[in-house]
Amino acid sequence: MSRRTALLSVLTAAAAALPAAPAHATPPPAPALHFGACPDTVPQPAAPDRVECARLGVPLDWAHPDGRRIEVAVSRVPASGTPAEHRGALLVNPGGPGGSGLPYAVTKRAKLPESVRRAYDVMGFDPRGVGQSAPVDCGPMGGLFDSPGADPVPVGPTAEQAYLASLSRMADDCAAREGDVLPYFSTEQIAQDMDAIRAALGEPRTDFLGISYGSYLGAAYAARFPQRTGRMVLDSVVGPWDWYDFDVVQSRALLRQRDTFFVWTAAHADRFVLGDSAQAVRRAYLRVRDGLTARPVAGFGPAEFDRAVYRALGRTERWTGLAEGLRAYLRDGMVDALRPVTAFDSPDSRTYESANRLTKCADGPGPTPRRVLADIRRTRNLDPQPVLTGMEASTCAYWTHRPAHRTPLGSPAAPPLLLIASAHDPVTPIEGAHQLRRLLPGSRLITLDHDYSHGVFASRGNACVDRTAAAYLVDGTVPAADVRCVGPGLPQVGRTVS
């Protein structure tokens, strides 16, 4: 028996159990939602499974439920098990803020353990502002979609003032196009939409799987509706910080991850030919960025390069593609291997970026412009060429709507939740999971050690994580203590994953 299997066996034997979710002897009553065909953006699951969609009217402002209304789009893939196995509905959220959840019911469900697929109707929904749910559009967003974009790392007073001016223009663009709804796209409002979905389905509690921003949404739901909180798995946990503080923490975790990438690339010098030491690979990396800054290639400059690096650093299976892209530019001057498959200025991307800023800036007070510059300087003192792509809440410094309070997270009255984190995730650093856990007494944390990627449950293929989370969702089994699972370590050199 492996040490991992032994650990899981001990924990399972010592596990406490949540109150059992009732196994329906007969199918649940027909919900108030009226399901039918889905839009083309929702993929079809493999037969015999099916996906169906519905729309639910909710107040724009839950503090005034009789006022203006919007619609939230919902999707469902019914459980594949017997009526006796049925545990109800499992809402899922892919992250963001700004991620579309309507197709996620299909794509995430396909990866879930079979016991979860048999037990739950997997439910996706587009959060307000996203996809099919009153999508928002901030227009040019201060030049965010310019190609090539301005260098996102300002150096010196002139560049710093230009950087602040772009943040101000972004806020102005959002106010000009979406000013009447800016207060109403907070995570608190989205959590109340989730509860409306629960009520429409006739479910007594909300069972939920939230990844990345989805963990923040789940924690907000637990704060607002602790008595209606069911079994919740919060994966790749966003810490209970203001969004701007989170962005700063993430930017510095990315420096550590990029250093690890340099070491890994140097260890495969024969394959990538970027140098046989981390310092040599770093110099090659800087040659690429400096070259694209001086002379962008077909609209691909420093902003586009940093976005490609940001995306690749979050999942180790993308590291081979990043290293090959660096080599291709240095060898041939080509950026095809670095360019994303979907254009950054696509309609879906524009909606994502707009909804992201509306939600982050509605969730709490923003920073001051002075602090934005001070933090960039501090980060540049750690490394003169950081990746600041994720500093999305900086524009909140100029936001028209100033929230009176930050979104509450967690509650001592909520039942035990299950938190999951990768030990070296640079996108949602693990210290956030430890801090959120303090706001959720009795909850447990699964740590995937020796792992460097964002997204763990039903994503990394780790049996220890997946079995523990499935037992919690299906049977209500709460581990007696926190769980540590053995991860894969640094990636093997393999095929490129887009």
Side-chain angles (χ1 to χ4, degrees):
M1 181 183 292
S2 70
R3 197 173 83 182
R4 180 177 63 189
T5 304
L7 174 61
L8 182 60
S9 299
V10 170
L11 290 172
T12 302
L18 281 174
H24 297 295
T26 59
L33 288 167
H34 301 290
F35 285 91
C38 292
D40 293 340
T41 54
V42 179
Q44 290 295 318
D49 294 325
R50 70 183 192 282
V51 62
E52 51 197 8
C53 292
R55 303 187 72 83
L56 178 66
V58 298
L60 174 65
D61 180 6
W62 277 97
H64 298 91
D66 296 327
R68 177 179 166 187
R69 298 180 73 78
I70 59 174
E71 287 191 331
V72 172
V74 180
S75 60
R76 175 172 68 184
V77 181
S80 59
T82 65
E85 294 173 282
H86 198 253
R87 295 293 180 267
L90 178 69
L91 269 67
V92 295
N93 178 274
S100 174
L102 208 62
Y104 200 60
V106 177
T107 57
K108 187 62 179 181
R109 183 186 182 276
K111 302 175 183 178
L112 292 172
E114 183 181 8
S115 61
V116 178
R117 300 197 306 269
R118 293 182 66 84
Y120 282 100
D121 303 330
V122 178
M123 308 280 303
F125 69 101
D126 279 346
R128 55 173 62 198
V130 177
Q132 304 291 320
S133 299
V136 292
D137 180 6
C138 287
M141 296 189 73
L144 181 66
F145 303 105
D146 291 352
S147 178
D151 193 326
V153 182
V155 180
T158 301
E160 289 178 344
Q161 291 307 308
Y163 180 84
L164 292 181
S166 71
L167 297 178
S168 179
R169 290 196 307 273
M170 180 183 290
D172 289 345
D173 287 340
C174 288
R177 289 175 173 251
E178 303 289 354
D180 60 332
V181 301
L182 292 182
Y184 311 121
F185 281 74
S186 68
T187 301
E188 284 185 277
Q189 298 277 353
I190 297 170
Q192 294 195 94
D193 295 344
M194 279 177 55
D195 196 60
I197 296 171
R198 175 205 61 78
L201 293 171
E203 295 285 350
R205 297 183 299 274
T206 295
D207 296 331
F208 180 68
L209 167 61
I211 291 84
S212 196
Y213 165 72
S215 68
Y216 187 96
L217 176 57
Y221 185 95
R224 181 68 179 81
F225 302 106
Q227 305 306 326
R228 298 177 195 166
T229 299
R231 299 169 186 174
M232 288 197 171
V233 174
L234 309 184
D235 182 5
S236 300
V237 177
V238 173
W241 304 299
D242 292 336
W243 276 116
Y244 177 79
D245 292 335
F246 168 80
D247 291 350
V248 172
V249 170
Q250 182 194 83
S251 71
R252 292 167 187 175
L254 286 166
L255 296 180
R256 297 190 294 271
Q257 184 85 334
R258 192 178 61 182
D259 286 345
T260 302
F261 167 76
F262 291 156
V263 171
W264 173 83
T265 304
H268 301 284
D270 291 346
R271 168 69 183 275
F272 300 122
V273 198
L274 293 171
D276 59 4
S277 69
Q279 294 79 9
V281 175
R282 176 184 172 84
R283 288 193 295 271
Y285 172 96
L286 293 175
R287 287 199 302 276
V288 175
R289 195 184 190 283
D290 291 346
L292 291 170
T293 301
R295 186 173 294 179
V297 177
F300 195 93
E304 292 75 18
F305 176 76
D306 282 2
R307 280 196 292 269
V309 172
Y310 177 87
R311 182 176 183 276
L313 291 179
R315 296 281 297 190
T316 54
E317 59 266 35
R318 298 172 184 154
W319 287 13
T320 293
L322 176 57
E324 289 177 341
L326 297 175
R327 180 188 179 192
Y329 174 82
L330 292 173
R331 183 185 59 214
D332 305 320
M334 303 293 289
V335 297
D336 293 350
L338 295 170
R339 195 184 296 275
V341 174
T342 303
F344 181 62
D345 65 349
S346 70
D348 286 347
S349 177
R350 286 177 174 271
T351 300
Y352 176 94
E353 299 295 338
S354 299
N356 175 282
R357 300 326 190 274
L358 261 67
T359 296
K360 283 194 169 186
C361 295
D363 273 344
T368 64
R370 177 175 293 183
R371 187 183 168 199
V372 170
L373 291 185
D375 283 325
I376 290 175
R377 291 166 186 160
R378 290 188 190 101
T379 303
R380 290 195 68 249
N381 283 336
L382 297 173
D383 189 304
Q385 194 59 71
V387 179
L388 302 181
T389 300
M391 296 290 293
E392 298 152 342
S394 296
T395 195
C396 304
Y398 296 97
W399 212 244
T400 302
H401 168 66
R402 299 284 178 165
H405 67 278
R406 58 174 297 189
T407 294
L409 300 177
S411 170
L417 276 55
L418 190 64
L419 282 59
I420 304 176
S422 167
H424 305 287
D425 178 358
V427 181
T428 52
I430 194 169
E431 54 261 40
H434 290 291
Q435 291 200 24
L436 182 62
R437 187 174 177 272
R438 298 187 187 107
L439 304 179
L440 295 163
S443 296
R444 299 289 182 256
L445 173 62
I446 303 175
T447 300
L448 184 59
D449 289 320
H450 310 297
D451 188 73
Y452 297 79
S453 285
H454 183 63
V456 180
F457 173 49
S459 179
R460 301 298 292 151
N462 186 274
C464 169
V465 171
D466 291 355
R467 281 196 302 264
T468 306
Y472 168 82
L473 287 172
V474 176
D475 302 321
T477 303
V478 180
D482 289 346
V483 178
R484 303 195 77 96
C485 299
V486 178
L490 293 174
Q492 299 295 315
V493 173
R495 63 184 182 87
T496 300
V497 177
S498 63

